Amino acid sequence: MKTLPDILKKEKYKKINFKVTKTQHLLLRASINGVKGNFILDTGASSSCVGFESVELFLLEAKKSKTQASGAGATGMFTQIANGNQLQLGSWKLTDFELVIFDLSHVNEALIQYKTKPVHGIIGADILMKGKGIIDYYNHCLYLQ
């Protein structure tokens, strides 16, 4: 009998490992425009995002956005948008990637209270959908095609 990793490898899926933090968040490493950072994998986040403080770090060209963000207890948050970026998770790559930029301080403050390292951003459902994502919670890995 074939295992899930065997089947997914045959279907050209790429395996990306993640860690489970003390707060039960799924933490993974990603590169945006060639710069590595720490990100939460969040199936409930519709869009992938980074905090305002990471705009220069990831070489983003932030532009005005009319969209307001909400989530994790906050609503009506001002956002910006950055188009034309490159994302890499393990060996899986995506070009011409759009990122939402907003204030992640409330997320990082909560993580710090639990003595967990802050993150640069969130990988959301937009990436999971584009990559036909499959999450293997037991083995702590994400598969993207």
Side-chain angles (χ1 to χ4, degrees):
M1 184 168 102
K2 290 197 175 215
T3 65
L4 178 63
D6 292 335
I7 294 166
L8 295 177
K9 188 174 182 178
K10 184 180 177 188
E11 293 296 318
K12 307 241 187 282
Y13 275 82
K14 307 287 185 182
K15 179 181 175 183
I16 301 107
N17 293 318
F18 60 76
K19 294 179 182 178
V20 180
T21 67
K22 289 186 277 186
T23 57
Q24 298 299 304
H25 288 98
L26 309 183
L27 184 70
L28 49 78
R29 297 281 290 165
S31 292
I32 297 175
N33 300 326
V35 180
K36 292 182 182 175
N38 294 319
F39 292 80
I40 291 173
L41 177 61
D42 186 350
T43 62
S46 57
S47 300
S48 295
C49 58
V50 297
F52 286 124
E53 67 282 350
S54 297
V55 169
E56 288 182 24
L57 174 68
F58 293 114
L59 313 170
L60 303 175
E61 291 185 31
K63 296 181 179 160
K64 291 181 183 178
S65 171
K66 293 180 183 178
T67 304
Q68 290 188 332
S70 63
T75 59
M77 294 183 291
F78 169 74
T79 66
Q80 290 182 316
I81 199 90
N83 296 306
N85 301 292
Q86 294 181 11
L87 173 68
Q88 184 167 348
L89 297 164
S91 61
W92 185 85
K93 296 177 185 178
L94 179 64
T95 57
D96 200 21
F97 167 60
E98 180 180 280
L99 272 169
V100 173
I101 305 163
F102 78 112
D103 184 3
L104 276 178
S105 62
H106 65 288
V107 172
N108 282 323
E109 286 171 20
L111 292 173
I112 291 167
Q113 283 183 348
Y114 285 95
K115 297 181 177 24
T116 302
K117 289 182 181 180
V119 296
H120 296 100
I122 295 168
I123 301 297
D126 55 341
I127 296 306
L128 296 172
M129 299 284 283
K130 286 179 185 172
K132 300 178 183 176
I134 297 172
I135 301 173
D136 181 349
Y137 289 94
Y138 183 78
N139 292 305
H140 298 176
C141 54
L142 165 66
Y143 292 93
L144 296 172
Q145 189 179 49

